[in-house]
Amino acid sequence: MKSLEELHLGEEAAGGLSAGIIGTIIGFPLDLIKTRLQTGSSSSSSSKGGRPSILSVGKDIVRSEGIPALYKGVGPPLISLSILNTTTFIQYAYFRELYHAGPGWDSRNFLAGISCAPASGLVSTVENFTKTQMQLDNLKPRREYTGSWNCFATLVRTHGPGIVYTGHVVNTIREVSFLGPYFFFYEGFREALLRQQERLRREAPEATGSGLWGSSLATSAKIAIPVAGGLSGALSWLVSFPLDCVRAGVQGQGMPPERGALRVLGDLVRTRGITGLYAGSSASIARAFLVSGSRFSAYEGALWLIRGGR
């Protein structure tokens, strides 16, 4: 096994930081819409009187709350997700080496992703809790918080520090169900696409892709990385979404919470049916594709620049 120095964890940290910043900025508005759909707190409805859609909720937010509302509460996620992505990518590099994981569809990549979940849950629970409380605050007749920091401080002052870990168990289980598939799918799709591109380069020598920023899109990692990242994000959210729906129900309550994860799950199934566990999934999966594609592109791009084009 390589030493920590040989793993170049500083480079992994820079890549993870880039991934956190870019992914959060791109994905936050869709995350807001997802939360409104998951918690059933949107007043919007589809044009046919059915369940609200991504577009109807988005239009309703902009019309009634203004465009800035799409980024209300972005401060803590921007900081916490930058920290989260930095530490997660460092952990993943370490565990991949520990388990001797190979490229492509290696199950040890899945195990390495799962191993990142406990530490990631410690950060993401606080981030998700504050973000969810802020995203739902806009819907109240009289808003309780002036901003994300005020929300965090008010809840801690009123209910004690432990309040920010409301939903920690279900959120950590969600991290397990997300991070394992997330890295497994990414490594698999990335390797498959890069091999396909290598085959295309051999068959068409005039397609002269040169590394990450190559001129030929058909044979460049410029395409392989965001597509592999997007697919991994979308599929992983599809797997983990029911747990995220329960997590949102637990963390979106008035505080102190009255319902635990099992009761929230039961209420969702009873009132919405099994399909209620996928309320807002279309927004989440669309967001996951965009965010994960940009996140892995930022990560790989940062490493490419730091390593001098290697």
Side-chain angles (χ1 to χ4, degrees), residues 103-105 186-196 228:
W105 302 103
Y186 176 69
E187 297 287 355
F189 283 125
R190 178 179 180 273
E191 187 69 12
L193 288 168
L194 290 176
R195 286 181 178 178
Q196 176 67 10

Side-chain angles (χ1 to χ4, degrees), residues 31 36 57 65 80 84 90 112 116 158 184 187 196 209 221 223 227 230 245 247 252 261 266 271 275 290 292 294:
D31 189 71
R36 298 284 180 90
V57 173
E65 303 169 34
S80 60
L84 179 62
I90 289 174
C116 301
T158 305
F184 176 71
E187 297 287 355
Q196 176 67 10
I223 287 298
V227 170
C245 196
R247 188 273 315 158
T271 58
T275 57
L290 291 172
S292 294
S294 61

Side-chain angles (χ1 to χ4, degrees), residues 215-228:
S215 58
S216 174
L217 292 180
T219 58
S220 175
K222 217 173 179 184
I223 287 298
I225 290 170
V227 170

Side-chain angles (χ1 to χ4, degrees), residues 14-15 19 23 47 52 62 107 134 136 154 160 202 234 286 290 295-296 307:
S47 59
V62 171
S107 60
M134 278 302 301
L136 298 179
T154 300
R202 287 197 302 268
L290 291 172
R295 182 176 290 158
F296 277 110
R307 294 169 180 173

Side-chain angles (χ1 to χ4, degrees), residues 24 43 47 95 127 178 201 211 226 232 237-238 246 265 277 281 306:
T24 303
S43 59
S47 59
F95 284 119
E127 180 265 321
F178 176 78
R201 280 194 290 269
S232 72
W237 267 111
L238 186 63
V246 175
L265 174 61
L277 295 176
S281 59
I306 292 169

Side-chain angles (χ1 to χ4, degrees), residues 19 39 64 93 117 138 155 191 195 243 263:
T39 57
S64 61
N138 273 0
L155 288 168
E191 187 69 12
R195 286 181 178 178
L243 284 166
R263 185 176 167 189

